[in-house]
Amino acid sequence: MTAGTTRTDQFAASLWRDRNFVTFWSGQAVSQLGAQLGQLAFPVLAVALLSASEFEVGALNAAGLAAFLVIGLPAGAWVDRWLKRRTMMLADLVRAVAMASVPVLWWSGALQMWHLYAVSAVVGAATVFFDVSYQSYVPVLVDAARVPQANSKLEATSQIARIGGPAAGGALLAVVSAPVLFVGEAAGYLLSAVFLFRTRDAEQRIPTADRCPLGSEIKEGLVFVAKHPLISRIAACTGGVNFFTTIAFTLMPILVLRELELGPQGMGLIMAVGAVGGLIGAVAAPRFAAWIGEGTAIPVASIISSAFVLLVPLSVFAPERWMSLVMLIVSDFGFGFGVLVYNIMQLSMRQRVCPPRLLGRMNASIRFVVWGVMPVSALASGLLAENLGLVPTLWIALAGSVLSVVPVLFSPLTRMRTLPDAVHHP
């Protein structure tokens, strides 16, 4: 066994002996499982029970993502000023209440599409604050050397939830109505808040005297991202891939439930097996990076994830339904593997090279770019599908996602065996 392997094993083992990390990890595991029930429940409720059109499905997805575009940048500056654990707890409680309102409205006979838009928007706004805090919290919770290991464990657990959640949701939908699944998601968010309450850390608020005007702090985060030679390319690639794959995945419920008639169980199976690919990617990311190079892993993983989108439009032409199902399963599996390798490597790099005081703003600036395009994309998907047709729109999504890997493919990352550790000051 090499010395490097011994250090890695020690880091991995020590994380499981770290009470705070295990408590934090436990809360996120429960929360992710509940969230996956909601990921299946929203489109099934909209398409199967409320007869949503292509545009309405796109608008629903856009409502959940709009907050990243509208409040993403100031959220980063605020998170840098606030205690991140408390911010995540409050966000979890808001999401729990919002999700619990859906079954109440359904059982009272009052639920309409505009209610889903409102709930999706509220949950999306809370998720902005949670996600920016979450990505900035790992370096607070563990030391810098263990950040990649912590991210790998958290992402692997997230993928396990994505395996069990959709599968369980698909099975439950055979015996209960879709609104019941929202109860599970609300419970997951509530338990996440409880585990966060039990987590301890040494984070201190930034003294008020050290704060700059909000606009200046937002600008500082944006400038750091724009000028960093690696982070700027990752932002461009991720933003492009997210824009075009959001078109495809916004239309997936229409494709699976209406065009191919594979049913909620088929959709749950696609999501669950796709998450297996993500789990393998999360677990394999460190070894995959060691094999081909930490920097090289980023463009290679982005090519893998985009290439598997090809099977989505091709599934329409399969002569049998089971063939279409297999193609979509393979597509989601390969896409999940590539995305998780890419995300773990680029996130760990960002956390390591960014000054701690800028973590919230850096992550918010990235999210503003890479998630801010998604509500626009979700609306565009509905408009394109209604005017051009479902299949032509899926081909556009494929072409765009493949072209989006260019910023990282032609970059210094392709030749990097090891990603930088030192904090970079542009």
Short mmCIF file of all heavy atoms in Angstrom, two decimals, residues 185-232:
data_model
loop_
_atom_site.label_atom_id
_atom_site.label_comp_id
_atom_site.label_asym_id
_atom_site.label_seq_id
_atom_site.Cartn_x
_atom_site.Cartn_y
_atom_site.Cartn_z
N GLU A 185 -41.64 14.28 1.31
CA GLU A 185 -40.62 15.31 1.11
C GLU A 185 -40.62 16.32 2.25
O GLU A 185 -39.56 16.74 2.71
CB GLU A 185 -40.84 16.03 -0.23
CG GLU A 185 -39.75 17.04 -0.50
CD GLU A 185 -39.70 17.50 -1.95
OE1 GLU A 185 -40.61 17.12 -2.71
OE2 GLU A 185 -38.77 18.23 -2.31
N ALA A 186 -41.80 16.72 2.71
CA ALA A 186 -41.87 17.66 3.84
C ALA A 186 -41.21 17.07 5.08
O ALA A 186 -40.47 17.76 5.80
CB ALA A 186 -43.33 18.01 4.13
N ALA A 187 -41.44 15.78 5.32
CA ALA A 187 -40.82 15.12 6.47
C ALA A 187 -39.30 15.09 6.34
O ALA A 187 -38.57 15.26 7.32
CB ALA A 187 -41.36 13.70 6.60
N GLY A 188 -38.80 14.88 5.13
CA GLY A 188 -37.36 14.86 4.90
C GLY A 188 -36.72 16.20 5.23
O GLY A 188 -35.67 16.26 5.88
N TYR A 189 -37.35 17.29 4.82
CA TYR A 189 -36.81 18.62 5.11
C TYR A 189 -36.85 18.90 6.62
O TYR A 189 -35.93 19.51 7.18
CB TYR A 189 -37.61 19.69 4.37
CG TYR A 189 -37.37 19.70 2.88
CD1 TYR A 189 -38.44 19.86 1.98
CD2 TYR A 189 -36.10 19.57 2.35
CE1 TYR A 189 -38.22 19.88 0.61
CE2 TYR A 189 -35.88 19.60 0.98
CZ TYR A 189 -36.94 19.75 0.11
OH TYR A 189 -36.72 19.77 -1.24
N LEU A 190 -37.92 18.47 7.27
CA LEU A 190 -38.04 18.69 8.71
C LEU A 190 -36.95 17.95 9.47
O LEU A 190 -36.31 18.49 10.38
CB LEU A 190 -39.43 18.24 9.19
CG LEU A 190 -39.75 18.48 10.66
CD1 LEU A 190 -39.68 19.97 10.99
CD2 LEU A 190 -41.14 17.94 11.00
N LEU A 191 -36.70 16.69 9.10
CA LEU A 191 -35.65 15.92 9.76
C LEU A 191 -34.27 16.50 9.48
O LEU A 191 -33.38 16.47 10.34
CB LEU A 191 -35.72 14.45 9.31
CG LEU A 191 -36.89 13.65 9.89
CD1 LEU A 191 -36.98 12.28 9.23
CD2 LEU A 191 -36.73 13.49 11.40
N SER A 192 -34.07 17.03 8.29
CA SER A 192 -32.80 17.68 7.97
C SER A 192 -32.55 18.84 8.93
O SER A 192 -31.42 19.02 9.43
CB SER A 192 -32.81 18.18 6.52
OG SER A 192 -31.66 18.95 6.24
N ALA A 193 -33.57 19.63 9.21
CA ALA A 193 -33.43 20.75 10.14
C ALA A 193 -33.06 20.26 11.54
O ALA A 193 -32.24 20.88 12.23
CB ALA A 193 -34.73 21.56 10.18
N VAL A 194 -33.65 19.13 11.95
CA VAL A 194 -33.35 18.57 13.27
C VAL A 194 -31.88 18.16 13.36
O VAL A 194 -31.18 18.46 14.33
CB VAL A 194 -34.28 17.38 13.58
CG1 VAL A 194 -33.82 16.66 14.85
CG2 VAL A 194 -35.72 17.85 13.71
N PHE A 195 -31.38 17.46 12.34
CA PHE A 195 -29.98 17.03 12.35
C PHE A 195 -29.03 18.22 12.28
O PHE A 195 -27.96 18.21 12.90
CB PHE A 195 -29.72 16.07 11.19
CG PHE A 195 -30.14 14.65 11.47
CD1 PHE A 195 -31.32 14.15 10.95
CD2 PHE A 195 -29.36 13.83 12.26
CE1 PHE A 195 -31.72 12.84 11.21
CE2 PHE A 195 -29.74 12.52 12.52
CZ PHE A 195 -30.92 12.02 12.00
N LEU A 196 -29.39 19.25 11.53
CA LEU A 196 -28.56 20.45 11.49
C LEU A 196 -28.52 21.13 12.85
O LEU A 196 -27.48 21.67 13.26
CB LEU A 196 -29.10 21.43 10.44
CG LEU A 196 -28.76 21.10 8.98
CD1 LEU A 196 -29.62 21.92 8.03
CD2 LEU A 196 -27.28 21.35 8.70
N PHE A 197 -29.63 21.11 13.57
CA PHE A 197 -29.68 21.68 14.91
C PHE A 197 -28.70 20.96 15.84
O PHE A 197 -28.11 21.58 16.74
CB PHE A 197 -31.11 21.58 15.46
CG PHE A 197 -31.26 22.11 16.87
CD1 PHE A 197 -31.31 23.48 17.10
CD2 PHE A 197 -31.36 21.23 17.94
CE1 PHE A 197 -31.44 23.96 18.39
CE2 PHE A 197 -31.50 21.72 19.23
CZ PHE A 197 -31.54 23.09 19.46
N ARG A 198 -28.51 19.66 15.61
CA ARG A 198 -27.62 18.86 16.46
C ARG A 198 -26.16 18.93 16.01
O ARG A 198 -25.27 18.43 16.70
CB ARG A 198 -28.09 17.41 16.47
CG ARG A 198 -29.45 17.20 17.14
CD ARG A 198 -29.92 15.76 16.99
NE ARG A 198 -28.96 14.83 17.56
CZ ARG A 198 -28.89 14.48 18.84
NH1 ARG A 198 -29.75 15.03 19.70
NH2 ARG A 198 -28.01 13.61 19.26
N THR A 199 -25.90 19.50 14.85
CA THR A 199 -24.52 19.64 14.35
C THR A 199 -23.85 20.84 15.03
O THR A 199 -24.48 21.86 15.27
CB THR A 199 -24.52 19.84 12.83
OG1 THR A 199 -25.20 18.74 12.21
CG2 THR A 199 -23.10 19.91 12.29
N ARG A 200 -22.56 20.70 15.31
CA ARG A 200 -21.81 21.78 15.94
C ARG A 200 -20.65 22.19 15.06
O ARG A 200 -20.05 21.36 14.38
CB ARG A 200 -21.29 21.34 17.32
CG ARG A 200 -22.40 21.03 18.33
CD ARG A 200 -23.14 22.31 18.71
NE ARG A 200 -24.24 22.03 19.64
CZ ARG A 200 -25.50 21.83 19.26
NH1 ARG A 200 -25.81 21.86 17.97
NH2 ARG A 200 -26.44 21.60 20.15
N ASP A 201 -20.35 23.48 15.05
CA ASP A 201 -19.20 23.98 14.30
C ASP A 201 -18.66 25.21 15.01
O ASP A 201 -19.25 25.69 15.98
CB ASP A 201 -19.60 24.31 12.86
CG ASP A 201 -20.70 25.36 12.78
OD1 ASP A 201 -20.45 26.51 13.20
OD2 ASP A 201 -21.81 25.03 12.32
N ALA A 202 -17.55 25.71 14.51
CA ALA A 202 -16.89 26.86 15.14
C ALA A 202 -17.01 28.12 14.29
O ALA A 202 -16.24 29.07 14.46
CB ALA A 202 -15.42 26.54 15.39
N GLU A 203 -17.98 28.15 13.37
CA GLU A 203 -18.11 29.31 12.49
C GLU A 203 -18.48 30.56 13.27
O GLU A 203 -19.32 30.52 14.19
CB GLU A 203 -19.15 29.05 11.41
CG GLU A 203 -19.24 30.17 10.39
CD GLU A 203 -20.31 29.94 9.33
OE1 GLU A 203 -21.19 29.08 9.54
OE2 GLU A 203 -20.26 30.64 8.30
N GLN A 204 -17.87 31.67 12.91
CA GLN A 204 -18.15 32.96 13.54
C GLN A 204 -18.68 33.93 12.48
O GLN A 204 -18.28 33.89 11.32
CB GLN A 204 -16.87 33.55 14.16
CG GLN A 204 -16.25 32.68 15.24
CD GLN A 204 -17.11 32.60 16.49
OE1 GLN A 204 -17.76 33.58 16.88
NE2 GLN A 204 -17.13 31.44 17.14
N ARG A 205 -19.59 34.79 12.90
CA ARG A 205 -20.07 35.83 11.99
C ARG A 205 -18.94 36.79 11.62
O ARG A 205 -18.05 37.06 12.44
CB ARG A 205 -21.20 36.64 12.64
CG ARG A 205 -22.52 35.92 12.79
CD ARG A 205 -23.53 36.88 13.40
NE ARG A 205 -24.79 36.23 13.69
CZ ARG A 205 -25.80 36.13 12.82
NH1 ARG A 205 -25.66 36.67 11.62
NH2 ARG A 205 -26.92 35.54 13.15
N ILE A 206 -18.97 37.30 10.40
CA ILE A 206 -18.04 38.36 10.01
C ILE A 206 -18.44 39.63 10.75
O ILE A 206 -19.61 40.02 10.73
CB ILE A 206 -18.08 38.59 8.49
CG1 ILE A 206 -17.60 37.35 7.75
CG2 ILE A 206 -17.23 39.80 8.11
CD1 ILE A 206 -17.70 37.46 6.24
N PRO A 207 -17.50 40.28 11.44
CA PRO A 207 -17.84 41.51 12.17
C PRO A 207 -18.48 42.55 11.24
O PRO A 207 -18.07 42.70 10.09
CB PRO A 207 -16.48 42.00 12.69
CG PRO A 207 -15.63 40.77 12.76
CD PRO A 207 -16.09 39.90 11.61
N THR A 208 -19.47 43.23 11.78
CA THR A 208 -20.19 44.23 10.98
C THR A 208 -19.24 45.28 10.41
O THR A 208 -19.40 45.76 9.28
CB THR A 208 -21.27 44.92 11.84
OG1 THR A 208 -22.14 43.91 12.39
CG2 THR A 208 -22.08 45.90 11.01
N ALA A 209 -18.23 45.62 11.18
CA ALA A 209 -17.28 46.65 10.74
C ALA A 209 -16.48 46.21 9.52
O ALA A 209 -15.97 47.06 8.77
CB ALA A 209 -16.33 46.99 11.88
N ASP A 210 -16.36 44.90 9.32
CA ASP A 210 -15.57 44.39 8.19
C ASP A 210 -16.39 44.24 6.91
O ASP A 210 -15.85 43.87 5.87
CB ASP A 210 -14.96 43.02 8.55
CG ASP A 210 -13.94 43.13 9.67
OD1 ASP A 210 -13.45 44.26 9.92
OD2 ASP A 210 -13.61 42.09 10.29
N ARG A 211 -17.69 44.51 6.98
CA ARG A 211 -18.54 44.33 5.82
C ARG A 211 -18.45 45.54 4.88
O ARG A 211 -18.32 46.68 5.31
CB ARG A 211 -20.00 44.13 6.24
CG ARG A 211 -20.24 42.87 7.06
CD ARG A 211 -21.68 42.81 7.52
NE ARG A 211 -21.93 41.65 8.37
CZ ARG A 211 -23.06 41.43 9.03
NH1 ARG A 211 -24.05 42.31 8.93
NH2 ARG A 211 -23.20 40.36 9.76
N CYS A 212 -18.57 45.23 3.60
CA CYS A 212 -18.65 46.28 2.57
C CYS A 212 -20.11 46.41 2.14
O CYS A 212 -20.95 45.58 2.49
CB CYS A 212 -17.79 45.89 1.36
SG CYS A 212 -16.02 45.76 1.74
N PRO A 213 -20.44 47.45 1.38
CA PRO A 213 -21.81 47.53 0.83
C PRO A 213 -22.15 46.28 0.05
O PRO A 213 -21.28 45.65 -0.56
CB PRO A 213 -21.74 48.76 -0.08
CG PRO A 213 -20.65 49.60 0.49
CD PRO A 213 -19.62 48.62 1.02
N LEU A 214 -23.44 45.90 0.07
CA LEU A 214 -23.87 44.65 -0.55
C LEU A 214 -23.46 44.58 -2.02
O LEU A 214 -22.97 43.54 -2.49
CB LEU A 214 -25.39 44.51 -0.43
CG LEU A 214 -25.99 43.19 -0.91
CD1 LEU A 214 -25.52 42.04 -0.04
CD2 LEU A 214 -27.52 43.26 -0.90
N GLY A 215 -23.63 45.68 -2.75
CA GLY A 215 -23.27 45.69 -4.17
C GLY A 215 -21.80 45.41 -4.39
O GLY A 215 -21.41 44.68 -5.32
N SER A 216 -20.95 45.95 -3.54
CA SER A 216 -19.50 45.73 -3.67
C SER A 216 -19.14 44.28 -3.39
O SER A 216 -18.26 43.70 -4.05
CB SER A 216 -18.75 46.66 -2.70
OG SER A 216 -18.98 48.01 -3.01
N GLU A 217 -19.80 43.69 -2.40
CA GLU A 217 -19.52 42.29 -2.08
C GLU A 217 -19.97 41.36 -3.21
O GLU A 217 -19.28 40.39 -3.53
CB GLU A 217 -20.20 41.91 -0.76
CG GLU A 217 -19.59 42.63 0.44
CD GLU A 217 -20.17 42.13 1.76
OE1 GLU A 217 -21.21 41.43 1.73
OE2 GLU A 217 -19.59 42.44 2.81
N ILE A 218 -21.13 41.65 -3.80
CA ILE A 218 -21.60 40.85 -4.93
C ILE A 218 -20.61 40.96 -6.09
O ILE A 218 -20.24 39.96 -6.71
CB ILE A 218 -23.01 41.31 -5.37
CG1 ILE A 218 -24.05 40.97 -4.30
CG2 ILE A 218 -23.38 40.67 -6.70
CD1 ILE A 218 -25.41 41.56 -4.56
N LYS A 219 -20.15 42.19 -6.37
CA LYS A 219 -19.21 42.41 -7.46
C LYS A 219 -17.91 41.66 -7.22
O LYS A 219 -17.33 41.07 -8.16
CB LYS A 219 -18.92 43.91 -7.61
CG LYS A 219 -17.94 44.24 -8.73
CD LYS A 219 -17.69 45.73 -8.82
CE LYS A 219 -16.65 46.03 -9.90
NZ LYS A 219 -16.36 47.50 -9.98
N GLU A 220 -17.44 41.63 -5.97
CA GLU A 220 -16.20 40.93 -5.66
C GLU A 220 -16.30 39.44 -5.99
O GLU A 220 -15.37 38.84 -6.52
CB GLU A 220 -15.84 41.13 -4.18
CG GLU A 220 -14.46 40.60 -3.82
CD GLU A 220 -14.10 40.84 -2.36
OE1 GLU A 220 -15.00 41.25 -1.58
OE2 GLU A 220 -12.94 40.61 -1.99
N GLY A 221 -17.45 38.83 -5.67
CA GLY A 221 -17.64 37.42 -5.98
C GLY A 221 -17.69 37.17 -7.47
O GLY A 221 -17.09 36.22 -7.98
N LEU A 222 -18.39 38.02 -8.21
CA LEU A 222 -18.48 37.88 -9.66
C LEU A 222 -17.13 38.05 -10.33
O LEU A 222 -16.77 37.29 -11.25
CB LEU A 222 -19.47 38.90 -10.22
CG LEU A 222 -20.96 38.58 -10.06
CD1 LEU A 222 -21.80 39.79 -10.44
CD2 LEU A 222 -21.36 37.38 -10.91
N VAL A 223 -16.36 39.03 -9.88
CA VAL A 223 -15.04 39.27 -10.46
C VAL A 223 -14.11 38.10 -10.21
O VAL A 223 -13.35 37.69 -11.11
CB VAL A 223 -14.44 40.58 -9.90
CG1 VAL A 223 -12.96 40.71 -10.28
CG2 VAL A 223 -15.21 41.79 -10.40
N PHE A 224 -14.18 37.53 -9.01
CA PHE A 224 -13.34 36.37 -8.71
C PHE A 224 -13.64 35.22 -9.67
O PHE A 224 -12.73 34.60 -10.23
CB PHE A 224 -13.56 35.92 -7.26
CG PHE A 224 -12.77 34.69 -6.90
CD1 PHE A 224 -11.44 34.79 -6.55
CD2 PHE A 224 -13.37 33.43 -6.94
CE1 PHE A 224 -10.70 33.65 -6.23
CE2 PHE A 224 -12.64 32.29 -6.63
CZ PHE A 224 -11.30 32.40 -6.27
N VAL A 225 -14.92 34.94 -9.89
CA VAL A 225 -15.31 33.85 -10.80
C VAL A 225 -14.89 34.17 -12.23
O VAL A 225 -14.34 33.31 -12.93
CB VAL A 225 -16.82 33.60 -10.72
CG1 VAL A 225 -17.29 32.67 -11.83
CG2 VAL A 225 -17.19 33.02 -9.36
N ALA A 226 -15.13 35.39 -12.67
CA ALA A 226 -14.85 35.76 -14.06
C ALA A 226 -13.36 35.73 -14.38
O ALA A 226 -12.96 35.39 -15.50
CB ALA A 226 -15.42 37.15 -14.35
N LYS A 227 -12.51 36.09 -13.40
CA LYS A 227 -11.09 36.19 -13.66
C LYS A 227 -10.31 34.91 -13.36
O LYS A 227 -9.17 34.77 -13.82
CB LYS A 227 -10.49 37.35 -12.85
CG LYS A 227 -10.92 38.72 -13.35
CD LYS A 227 -10.15 39.82 -12.65
CE LYS A 227 -10.47 41.18 -13.23
NZ LYS A 227 -9.70 42.27 -12.58
N HIS A 228 -10.90 34.01 -12.61
CA HIS A 228 -10.16 32.79 -12.30
C HIS A 228 -10.04 31.94 -13.56
O HIS A 228 -11.04 31.64 -14.22
CB HIS A 228 -10.87 31.99 -11.20
CG HIS A 228 -10.00 30.96 -10.57
ND1 HIS A 228 -9.68 29.77 -11.20
CD2 HIS A 228 -9.35 30.95 -9.38
CE1 HIS A 228 -8.89 29.07 -10.41
NE2 HIS A 228 -8.67 29.76 -9.31
N PRO A 229 -8.82 31.52 -13.94
CA PRO A 229 -8.64 30.84 -15.23
C PRO A 229 -9.33 29.49 -15.34
O PRO A 229 -9.61 29.03 -16.45
CB PRO A 229 -7.12 30.69 -15.33
CG PRO A 229 -6.63 30.76 -13.91
CD PRO A 229 -7.55 31.70 -13.21
N LEU A 230 -9.60 28.83 -14.21
CA LEU A 230 -10.26 27.53 -14.25
C LEU A 230 -11.75 27.65 -13.93
O LEU A 230 -12.60 27.07 -14.61
CB LEU A 230 -9.60 26.55 -13.26
CG LEU A 230 -8.11 26.26 -13.50
CD1 LEU A 230 -7.60 25.28 -12.46
CD2 LEU A 230 -7.88 25.73 -14.90
N ILE A 231 -12.08 28.39 -12.89
CA ILE A 231 -13.48 28.51 -12.47
C ILE A 231 -14.32 29.16 -13.56
O ILE A 231 -15.48 28.78 -13.78
CB ILE A 231 -13.59 29.28 -11.14
CG1 ILE A 231 -12.95 28.46 -10.00
CG2 ILE A 231 -15.04 29.58 -10.80
CD1 ILE A 231 -12.98 29.16 -8.66
N SER A 232 -13.76 30.13 -14.28
CA SER A 232 -14.53 30.80 -15.33
C SER A 232 -14.90 29.82 -16.44
O SER A 232 -16.02 29.88 -16.98
CB SER A 232 -13.72 31.96 -15.91
OG SER A 232 -12.48 31.51 -16.44
#
